[in-house]
Amino acid sequence: MNKLSKIFAAFFTIISIITLVACAASTNDVTTNNTCQDATWIIIQEPTCITDGIREFRCHDGTVLKTEVIPFLGHETAVWVIVLEPTFITEGLRELRCPRCDDVLASEIIPVLIHDFQLVSYLDPTCTEEGYRLYVCSVDSTYTNRVVVPALGHSEGAWVTVLEPTFTIEGLKELRCLRCNTVLDTEVIPVLIHDFQLASYLNPTCTEAGYRLYVCSVDPSYTNRVVVPALGHSEGAWVTVLEPTFTTEGLKELRCLRCNTVLDTEVIPVLIHDFQLVSYLNPTCTEAGYRLYICAVDPSYTNKVILPALGHLEGVWLIVLAPTCTENGLRELRCPRSETVLDSEILPAIGHNFQLSRIVEPTCTLAGYRLYVCLNDTNHTNKIILPALGHLEGVWIIVLAPTCTENGLRELRCPRSETVLDSEILPAIGHNFSEWSFFAAATFSRPETHRRTCSNCQTIESKFVATELFLGTTSDAQLVSTPGAWFMLTLAQETTIQLGWLLNSGFSANIEAYLSSFDFSRSRMITSSNRRLGVGTLDAGTYWVQLVSFSGVQDLSVRVDDFSLLVNNSITLDQLSSNLTVDNIGLWYRLELTQQTQVQISAFLHQGFGFGTNASLFSVNDLGVAIVQTGPFVTNVSSLSAGIYYIRFYNEFGGMASGNLLLTNVTKALTNAQLITFGVQTAFMDLDTAGVWFRLELSRETNVRFRFHEVINHLGVSAHLNDNNLTRFMTHNHNGGITHSATLPAGTIFINLRLNGTIGSVNGALTIEDLTNTLNVAPNLQIGVSSGNFTVNRSGMWFRLVVTEETRIRIAITTVSGSSLTNSIFTNNNLYNSIIASQGIFTLDAGTHYVFFGSHLSQGATGSFIITLA
């Protein structure tokens, strides 16, 4: 360090000491500038959870030396206190209270108690007998629930052979229930067939033939000897039999892969040296190097080349340690190639060179400083502390003026640093609203609107006025037109509701109901036209219901029900409900299935306006979508998975209707379905709405026609063709008889023949015919050539028409005698699509088409038809 630097550092050290002494003398003004020696703190006001306290530092003569605010304590950790215990019918109440001041910080409703049913006894069902589950409430044992578990039905096991077949006699096998061993089905085992197995063999060689000897495993006296021809030679890879040297040739041979016979030979030329570099060592400044080469053909031949040492290059000086303010440095003379040190030299220390780098001025609460940094080495610094100044006397400033709804705020601030020394809340002045008054009439998208205005801030509040709806209560009659009548519905919790409208007078068509959320975003149209009922699950909140009439003024009422209270009836399979009287609201039933089941739903009308009687089936997962909805007479079959379903039985139109509902377990009917074969007429039988099931087994795709004939009491009969999953129905309904054609795939087909809608029975028989041969021998038609006169009945006749390109045709029918109710049906190759049911003009694709010519009546009619280009 030079002399000038030392004098400069000493000067600043003296200045720092003088400053620190002056600051120390100013920190004890309370005690050194006052003669009172026994001052103490006196608490003037104790702090609470939400308000500050005050204490004063007083002398024995009462002189106040200092006043301080004691911060408010804040609430202790609150605990919940039960104020009112809940019961099974009334809610309870609990409050969150501070243990110190007992203030209520929050309150919460305790829900009513809910029964907790526990299983106490049970009886498992069998294949044919039902079981039960008995549940008892663990809270109140006087409440019990006994649930009937339906019989399981038989479970198919494996087929068991009870009579082995022989070559001349068929065997027999049985299908039994896994649970109760009941025989469910039997099947004939065909006579045995010879099964030849390989007994001995001789594999062929390249030049010799072989054989295979087969013997029947059922009867060894039956044999079959098959000759296998010689294989011929198969070329392999070349094999070296004599290795070549540097002076003599070698030899290689081509041999057969199977018998090793030599097929060809070839000479291998003498070897030639091929030297390759295998290792090396580069020379350095002081050491020699080398290159080593080895022959790739014979490693015993090598060549080593010596490379002489290079010697040092002329050196250059490198600084390896730079000098600092207090430490010496070092530089070295090194060879550029080998980094060898050829000479070295000491570099002397350079000393400190301090300069002012940064000044931070002191504030009211924070000290400042002056920072000096050495220019030679910035890691060397000198920092002089400047003490904090302290706050100036504060002034009150309003930072937020109070409004009608929001509190204001004023603060006590230091003029120098703007630090907030104290604050005070200015309470809100509150609204001064006028009375509610009419603002706007109801429109198609909004109910009637009322408004009021605050005289202080001119804030305008609006509310919508509508008739309030309550669950389970029907609204007073409303005169509904366009834009309709508005109702308000408030739900305290998520609820599944049933919402419908009732017509008091007037024409019921063109009436719609809408359900909107609180912001009136149109969510969905829940009912339309004559559909008067909607079911869905809504979250807690406020909803708006609007009824709109598009056909003049109507007199209507609205009703909203809690769906969980409506479904108080349970129905089981194969149970006929008692005679019920229903309106458009209808009745709800609950169906629970423990396994996948084929279910047939039937609804029957006794009296009332029958064409509006319906039954709907709803899944438990989405009550807003009907899985099955048919009518006026409901008879349908569905394959349902295990779960809970809801069935609604109702009258679609106004007024009342009476009827019954029946759910049939079709699974049992399918298991016991009668096997029917082609051309065999079933015995005459009485049919009801459940009908009779038949089973048709097809080994290949087949063109068929089925006919129901000789019907007594023409009450409406339908035949349903179903594939295995029961989801596809091919139906043909006719009072008096059924004739229907179709192409059916190979497999099991179920046919249900039943009465539609009305309770009662009809008498008749079913016949199924294989149309394949009939169609193959059907006479050919030519466009423009008359079919000639034919006498036909319901059995009719088939004709074949072949067109080579898309063709537009006209069909004309002439009746000579008998009934004129003849008809012609064009179908394409698979017979599914009936193109026409009477005469007219049609376009046919290229291909083979069939024409059916028949009469609706059994006594028949005589006539002809002709097909021409249109």
Side-chain angles (χ1 to χ4, degrees):
M1 184 181 293
N2 57 38
K3 186 174 181 180
L4 180 60
S5 299
K6 291 180 180 179
I7 295 173
F8 188 75
F11 172 75
F12 276 101
T13 302
I14 295 171
I15 295 299
S16 300
I17 293 172
I18 294 172
T19 302
L20 290 173
V21 170
C23 291
S26 65
T27 58
N28 298 321
D29 289 347
V30 174
T31 57
T32 58
N33 295 336
N34 199 296
T35 57
C36 182
Q37 301 297 321
D38 58 351
T40 59
W41 285 100
I42 304 297
I43 296 177
I44 304 304
Q45 180 179 326
E46 292 285 351
T48 67
C49 294
I50 58 175
T51 59
D52 295 333
I54 301 175
R55 70 172 185 171
E56 295 178 347
F57 195 59
R58 293 185 180 181
C59 190
H60 66 280
D61 60 359
T63 302
V64 177
L65 305 180
K66 187 177 182 181
T67 302
E68 277 190 2
V69 174
I70 306 173
F72 66 89
L73 303 176
H75 290 296
E76 288 187 357
T77 301
V79 295
W80 286 100
V81 178
I82 295 178
V83 180
L84 178 62
E85 293 286 349
T87 67
F88 286 107
I89 57 175
T90 59
E91 296 174 329
L93 177 67
R94 67 173 186 168
E95 296 176 342
L96 189 65
R97 295 184 178 179
C98 171
R100 178 185 294 116
C101 65
D102 204 36
D103 280 356
V104 176
L105 308 182
S107 62
E108 187 176 282
I109 297 296
I110 305 175
V112 296
L113 299 180
I114 300 174
H115 290 293
D116 179 22
F117 286 102
Q118 304 291 332
L119 180 65
V120 295
S121 67
Y122 66 93
L123 175 63
D124 288 332
T126 66
C127 296
T128 56
E129 299 293 333
E130 66 183 18
Y132 70 88
R133 297 287 187 273
L134 179 61
Y135 298 88
V136 177
C137 176
S138 61
V139 181
D140 186 345
S141 59
T142 62
Y143 289 87
T144 62
N145 185 19
R146 189 177 188 273
V147 179
V148 175
V149 182
L152 302 175
H154 291 298
S155 175
E156 292 186 0
W159 286 91
V160 178
T161 301
V162 295
L163 178 61
E164 294 290 344
T166 68
F167 290 106
T168 57
I169 301 175
E170 295 177 329
L172 181 66
K173 62 180 180 179
E174 295 178 344
L175 180 65
R176 296 181 176 240
C177 175
L178 288 174
R179 283 185 286 267
C180 65
N181 206 35
T182 299
V183 176
L184 307 178
D185 199 359
T186 60
E187 187 175 295
V188 173
I189 305 174
V191 295
L192 299 179
I193 301 173
H194 288 295
D195 179 22
F196 285 102
Q197 303 291 334
L198 181 64
S200 65
Y201 65 92
L202 175 63
N203 289 327
T205 66
C206 296
T207 57
E208 300 292 335
Y211 70 87
R212 296 287 187 272
L213 179 62
Y214 297 90
V215 177
C216 176
S217 62
V218 182
D219 188 346
S221 63
Y222 288 87
T223 63
N224 185 19
R225 191 175 189 273
V226 180
V227 176
V228 183
L231 302 175
H233 290 299
S234 175
E235 291 186 1
W238 287 90
V239 179
T240 301
V241 295
L242 178 62
E243 295 288 346
T245 67
F246 290 103
T247 57
T248 61
E249 294 176 330
L251 181 68
K252 62 180 180 180
E253 296 176 345
L254 179 64
R255 297 187 177 183
C256 174
L257 288 174
R258 281 186 287 268
C259 64
N260 208 32
T261 300
V262 177
L263 307 178
D264 198 2
T265 62
E266 188 176 294
V267 174
I268 305 173
V270 296
L271 301 177
I272 300 174
H273 286 297
D274 180 17
F275 284 104
Q276 304 289 335
L277 179 65
V278 294
S279 68
Y280 67 91
L281 177 63
N282 290 327
T284 66
C285 295
T286 57
E287 301 291 335
Y290 68 87
R291 296 287 188 274
L292 179 61
Y293 299 88
I294 296 179
C295 177
V297 181
D298 188 348
S300 64
Y301 290 88
T302 62
N303 184 19
K304 187 175 184 181
V305 180
I306 301 300
L307 303 176
L310 303 175
H312 288 302
L313 295 176
E314 182 179 355
V316 293
W317 287 98
L318 299 175
I319 297 176
V320 295
L321 180 63
T324 67
C325 299
T326 58
E327 300 292 336
N328 293 330
L330 176 67
R331 72 173 185 168
E332 294 177 345
L333 183 66
R334 296 182 179 179
C335 169
R337 180 187 293 119
S338 63
E339 289 293 317
T340 301
V341 177
L342 307 177
D343 195 5
S344 64
E345 183 179 296
I346 299 298
L347 301 176
I350 59 178
H352 288 302
N353 182 15
F354 283 108
Q355 182 174 345
L356 181 63
S357 172
R358 185 180 180 186
I359 300 177
V360 176
E361 297 295 339
T363 65
C364 296
T365 57
L366 299 177
Y369 63 87
R370 284 182 171 78
L371 179 65
Y372 297 87
V373 179
C374 177
L375 296 180
N376 299 328
D377 186 352
T378 57
N379 292 323
H380 294 274
T381 61
N382 186 19
K383 189 175 185 181
I384 299 176
I385 302 301
L386 304 177
L389 304 175
H391 288 302
L392 297 177
E393 184 178 354
V395 294
W396 287 99
I397 298 174
I398 295 177
V399 296
L400 181 64
T403 67
C404 293
T405 58
E406 302 290 336
N407 293 331
L409 179 68
R410 71 171 187 168
E411 296 176 345
L412 183 65
R413 297 183 179 179
C414 168
R416 177 190 292 121
S417 64
E418 288 293 317
T419 300
V420 177
L421 307 178
D422 196 3
S423 64
E424 184 178 291
I425 299 297
L426 302 177
I429 60 178
H431 283 302
N432 185 20
F433 279 115
S434 62
E435 296 294 328
W436 288 102
S437 61
F438 173 82
F439 177 73
T443 66
F444 187 77
S445 58
R446 291 288 191 277
E448 181 178 313
T449 308
H450 289 193
R451 281 189 177 181
R452 63 178 183 176
T453 305
C454 174
S455 59
N456 298 330
C457 62
Q458 304 306 309
T459 295
I460 298 175
E461 283 191 351
S462 300
K463 71 175 181 179
F464 298 110
V465 180
T467 303
E468 190 169 5
L469 290 178
F470 299 96
L471 292 179
T473 303
T474 303
S475 70
D476 294 334
Q478 298 279 337
L479 295 179
V480 178
S481 60
T482 304
W486 288 89
F487 303 87
M488 181 176 65
L489 173 64
T490 302
L491 300 176
Q493 60 188 5
E494 182 185 277
T495 309
T496 300
I497 68 165
Q498 172 179 283
L499 189 149
W501 55 268
L502 307 173
L503 180 66
N504 300 317
S505 63
F507 186 61
S508 62
N510 299 322
I511 298 174
E512 296 181 356
Y514 296 88
L515 178 68
S516 303
S517 58
F518 186 74
D519 61 355
F520 295 98
S521 58
R522 182 62 51 79
S523 58
R524 54 184 161 162
M525 183 173 67
I526 54 173
T527 68
S528 64
S529 188
N530 288 330
R531 254 186 91 218
R532 305 185 191 176
L533 192 67
V535 177
T537 301
L538 302 179
D539 295 330
T542 299
Y543 297 87
W544 302 91
V545 179
Q546 181 190 21
L547 254 65
V548 180
S549 171
F550 294 96
S551 58
V553 179
Q554 306 291 332
D555 188 11
L556 304 173
S557 302
V558 181
R559 182 180 178 88
V560 184
D561 292 287
D562 187 336
F563 185 76
S564 61
L565 301 179
L566 295 177
V567 188
N568 53 11
N569 296 317
S570 292
I571 193 168
T572 59
L573 297 180
D574 303 317
Q575 174 187 350
L576 179 67
S577 69
S578 58
N579 193 19
L580 305 170
T581 299
V582 291
D583 55 13
N584 68 293
I585 299 297
L587 296 173
W588 285 95
Y589 290 90
R590 182 177 183 272
L591 172 64
E592 183 171 359
L593 299 178
T594 58
Q595 60 186 8
Q596 181 164 329
T597 309
Q598 284 79 33
V599 180
Q600 174 177 309
I601 304 175
S602 302
F604 324 115
L605 180 71
H606 298 318
Q607 63 182 27
F609 189 58
F611 290 101
T613 306
N614 274 276
S616 298
L617 178 67
F618 294 86
S619 167
V620 69
N621 293 327
D622 186 355
L623 293 172
V625 178
I627 297 177
V628 178
Q629 184 172 353
T630 56
F633 299 114
V634 180
T635 304
N636 214 336
V637 177
S638 291
S639 182
L640 304 180
S641 303
I644 297 175
Y645 298 87
Y646 296 100
I647 299 100
R648 176 173 166 241
F649 185 43
Y650 61 100
N651 184 24
E652 181 68 27
F653 297 103
M656 310 294 284
S658 62
N660 295 89
L661 187 66
L662 175 63
L663 273 65
T664 308
N665 186 350
V666 182
T667 305
K668 297 178 181 178
L670 294 181
T671 303
N672 301 319
Q674 300 179 32
L675 181 63
I676 191 169
T677 57
F678 288 122
V680 178
Q681 178 175 293
T682 64
F684 281 76
M685 60 190 67
D686 288 333
L687 299 177
D688 56 15
T689 51
V692 178
W693 286 92
F694 299 93
R695 184 177 80 251
L696 176 64
E697 302 289 346
L698 299 177
S699 59
R700 57 178 171 78
E701 182 178 89
T702 309
N703 296 316
V704 303
R705 175 171 59 179
F706 65 94
R707 291 183 294 144
F708 182 76
H709 34 207
E710 301 304 328
V711 177
I712 301 174
N713 298 331
H714 295 181
L715 297 177
V717 178
S718 67
H720 294 238
L721 294 184
N722 308 276
D723 58 14
N724 286 331
N725 63 13
L726 295 177
T727 58
R728 180 167 56 91
F729 305 102
M730 296 170 285
T731 66
H732 183 76
N733 303 329
H734 183 64
N735 290 343
I738 295 173
T739 302
H740 186 70
S741 303
T743 298
L744 302 181
T748 301
I749 305 295
F750 292 103
I751 303 164
N752 181 230
L753 195 63
R754 60 175 177 257
L755 178 65
N756 281 340
T758 306
I759 291 180
S761 65
V762 295
N763 188 266
L766 178 69
T767 302
I768 300 179
E769 300 169 352
D770 186 345
L771 287 180
T772 305
N773 295 330
T774 302
L775 296 179
N776 289 336
V777 300
N780 285 324
L781 289 175
Q782 295 182 7
I783 295 179
V785 178
S786 174
S787 67
N789 288 334
F790 290 95
T791 300
V792 293
N793 55 20
R794 282 201 297 264
S795 298
M797 296 187 65
W798 287 94
F799 297 86
R800 183 168 63 247
L801 174 65
V802 179
V803 292
T804 58
E805 60 184 0
E806 184 181 280
T807 306
R808 186 172 174 82
I809 66 164
R810 175 185 288 108
I811 179 170
I813 304 171
T814 302
T815 303
V816 176
S817 63
S819 171
S820 62
L821 295 177
T822 55
N823 62 2
S824 298
I825 301 176
F826 277 80
T827 63
N828 58 10
N829 286 335
N830 65 11
L831 297 179
Y832 278 139
N833 299 324
S834 294
I835 299 177
I836 62 173
S838 60
Q839 60 187 9
I841 298 177
F842 310 96
T843 300
L844 301 181
D845 296 332
T848 300
H849 301 268
Y850 294 97
V851 181
F852 177 72
F853 185 47
S855 172
H856 280 305
L857 301 182
S858 58
Q859 64 268 24
T862 300
S864 64
F865 64 93
I866 186 171
I867 296 175
T868 58
L869 294 177

